[in-house]
Amino acid sequence: MNFLTIFARNLIQGPQTEAFPFGPAFTPDRLRGRIEFKAESCEGCRICERVCPANAIRFAKTSDGMTFDCWHNTCVFCGNCEFYCPTDAIHQTNDWNLAHANADKFEMVEHGLIPNQTCVDCGATALNTAPMVKNAKPPLSPEEYSEVRARCPKCRAKYLKNRKVPA
């Protein structure tokens, strides 16, 4: 009797399969998919490189700055890099469609560049990374943040030490 009820319901509702690849497939909102890197938010701490179990993330110093590469054909989408990133510079999207031809395997990489800059105080060349000011009290204003960012790490420390805090 129960079988007939299920059979009748299935006849009325129709097929339950998805039209993929001819139509969009259901993707959960919290799916851990392709990595996105925001170079302007990166502190350059390289924690993501150390916690990646598949060694899919590599930083390299070049004459232009420091490059970030995440090889998607090596990544296991564990989410460690996003979890440990202190500035949310790495984000996992819900893009899971990474199928590609073998000839395109070297294009399956997320690439970013943290450029060099000249310090406004001492003139030294340093990476234009996001400053590590998460625990600054009181929090930096947008103007102070841009002033700190324009300095090298030594001058950033001096700036934060000599910062006038309103009483």
Side-chain angles (χ1 to χ4, degrees):
M1 198 65 163
N2 191 19
F3 168 75
L4 291 176
T5 306
I6 294 172
F7 180 72
R9 186 186 68 205
N10 288 345
L11 278 178
I12 293 170
Q13 290 182 347
Q16 295 293 314
T17 58
E18 295 178 5
F20 186 79
F22 304 109
F26 169 73
T27 304
D29 292 336
R30 297 181 60 194
L31 179 80
R32 294 184 299 192
R34 190 174 55 80
I35 301 289
E36 279 185 349
F37 177 70
K38 293 184 289 184
E40 63 277 359
S41 300
C42 183
E43 287 182 348
C45 63
R46 300 171 73 165
I47 289 175
C48 54
E49 184 179 31
R50 284 179 271 171
V51 299
C52 181
N55 292 325
I57 297 175
R58 290 278 180 232
F59 282 92
K61 288 190 176 183
T62 65
S63 60
D64 298 331
M66 189 161 61
T67 60
F68 167 90
D69 290 317
C70 177
W71 293 91
H72 286 121
N73 55 358
T74 307
C75 180
V76 294
F77 307 105
C78 64
N80 277 350
C81 53
E82 182 181 15
F83 180 78
Y84 286 104
C85 183
T87 58
D88 296 329
I90 294 181
H91 176 67
Q92 282 193 291
T93 65
N94 61 0
D95 180 13
W96 54 268
N97 192 2
L98 297 170
H100 60 279
N102 195 30
D104 299 334
K105 67 183 176 184
F106 295 114
E107 296 173 10
M108 298 302 295
V109 61
E110 179 74 15
H111 184 75
L113 173 68
I114 303 169
N116 284 329
Q117 69 175 0
T118 303
C119 178
V120 295
D121 284 346
C122 66
T125 301
L127 291 174
N128 185 10
T129 57
M132 296 182 195
V133 292
K134 193 176 183 180
N135 297 326
K137 301 242 179 188
L140 297 177
S141 67
E143 296 83 25
E144 289 176 316
Y145 186 84
S146 62
E147 288 178 11
V148 170
R149 187 170 186 129
R151 291 173 163 77
C152 69
K154 285 183 181 176
C155 294
R156 286 178 181 179
K158 286 180 191 172
Y159 179 88
L160 291 173
K161 185 178 176 184
N162 298 330
R163 182 174 164 226
K164 296 188 184 219
V165 179

